[in-house]
Amino acid sequence: MTTPEKQNPGLVARLFDIRSVIGALLGIYGILLTLAGLFPSVFGNKTHSSPANNVVDMSVGTSANLWVGLAMLAIALIFGGWAIMRPAVVGEATD
């Protein structure tokens, strides 16, 4: 009986390639941040005080979630393209 790893070791190597994992995580977080930037009333309270009153709210008035989310999506696409253009090479197993 053969396991999937022995039938197609390249598929498992590509699936768990660090570039694929990083790209997927950045993509998921990028989608969430982009949605939070596009629909702020759904994901948080929009009634903020001025930034001078609260040091944590330094991004009041800007769409930081949107821009960071879009940047994360762009980086995720770069990682995904890199993983597709130069896939992981799996050497021959020696028994």
Side-chain angles (χ1 to χ4, degrees):
M1 176 177 259
T2 60
T3 62
E5 290 85 13
K6 290 186 180 183
Q7 289 176 355
N8 193 358
L11 176 66
V12 175
R14 283 191 307 259
L15 181 63
F16 293 109
D17 185 14
I18 191 70
R19 298 171 293 181
S20 301
V21 174
I22 291 173
L25 287 174
L26 284 173
I28 291 168
Y29 289 132
I31 289 170
L32 291 175
L33 279 174
T34 302
L35 289 175
L38 289 174
F39 306 107
S41 62
V42 174
F43 292 100
N45 190 0
K46 196 64 174 170
T47 59
H48 292 290
S49 59
S50 68
N53 295 339
N54 190 355
V55 180
V56 176
D57 285 337
M58 296 301 285
S59 67
V60 172
T62 64
S63 52
N65 284 340
L66 177 66
W67 290 110
V68 171
L70 291 175
M72 289 177 87
L73 285 174
I75 294 170
L77 287 174
I78 290 170
F79 269 92
W82 181 24
I84 290 172
M85 298 295 279
R86 299 197 41 121
V89 178
V90 179
E92 293 292 321
T94 58
D95 291 323

